[in-house]
Amino acid sequence: MNQAAQIDSGTRDALQQMVGLARQGRREEARKFGKAALSKVGDTAPLYAFLGRLACECGDFEDGIVELRAALQMLPDEAMVRCDLAAALIQIGDFQGAIDVSDEKYLRADRSLQLARLRGYSAQQLERWSDAVESYLFVIERAPNDGDSLN
């Protein structure tokens, strides 16, 4: 899904402003701007997705997870949101939550293979060895020459 092509101009402007602030190292300002923009834009899903990512980058996983879950509810097929949410859940030790977010239906649709990597890692942390092996084999089969396939 190419979300950028489908968002309204107000949402696009807000995202551009947030990206500009984040690139300047002003992530907290970008978050404040984005939260304020939520009530003013037509499409909140991409704002929630970016707010969630920014929050996690700032170490605020609690807010980040809430925002990523909101984005995922609106964009259930968006692999990048699923990857960000699974990674955030791993950061707080919710390995089962990360596995739930990276279920097989979505794992197979993720061309980056990141969901499979995150699922494998989470399964490994829970000592669910067969699930971990299955996820890692999924990655290796699709990217056999990728030196980072298991990282």
Side-chain angles (χ1 to χ4, degrees):
M1 168 199 267
N2 185 352
Q3 183 66 23
Q6 299 174 8
I7 62 175
D8 64 89
S9 62
T11 303
R12 187 173 15 264
D13 292 346
L15 285 169
Q16 288 173 342
Q17 182 71 26
M18 291 170 66
V19 168
L21 289 167
R23 283 186 178 159
Q24 295 171 17
R26 298 160 55 193
R27 283 179 165 67
E28 288 298 337
E29 281 183 65
R31 289 178 66 194
K32 287 178 188 172
F33 181 89
K35 285 182 184 228
L38 284 170
S39 64
K40 300 173 188 165
V41 300
D43 186 2
T44 58
L47 285 184
Y48 276 118
F50 194 49
L51 281 167
R53 177 175 273 215
L54 283 173
C56 291
E57 287 177 0
C58 291
D60 186 353
F61 293 101
E62 185 177 321
D63 268 2
I65 289 168
V66 168
E67 291 160 345
L68 288 166
R69 284 192 191 280
L72 189 59
Q73 189 171 22
M74 293 178 260
L75 301 169
D77 296 329
E78 190 65 44
M80 187 169 62
V81 175
R82 284 190 178 278
C83 288
D84 287 348
L85 179 54
L89 291 166
I90 287 169
Q91 287 296 315
I92 65 164
D94 185 357
F95 301 110
Q96 183 59 53
I99 287 173
D100 294 343
V101 167
S102 58
D103 68 33
E104 276 204 48
K105 173 185 173 186
Y106 298 106
L107 180 137
R108 296 193 178 284
D110 175 26
R111 297 162 93 188
S112 75
L113 302 174
Q114 190 61 26
L115 272 179
R117 291 179 180 101
L118 294 168
R119 184 180 177 88
Y121 177 80
S122 296
Q124 185 177 342
Q125 295 304 305
L126 294 173
E127 298 183 0
R128 289 173 41 186
W129 308 119
S130 62
D131 291 336
V133 168
E134 183 180 328
S135 294
Y136 290 142
L137 284 174
F138 180 84
V139 173
I140 291 169
E141 288 168 358
R142 282 151 185 81
N145 297 319
D146 183 356
D148 292 329
S149 64
L150 297 180
N151 293 326

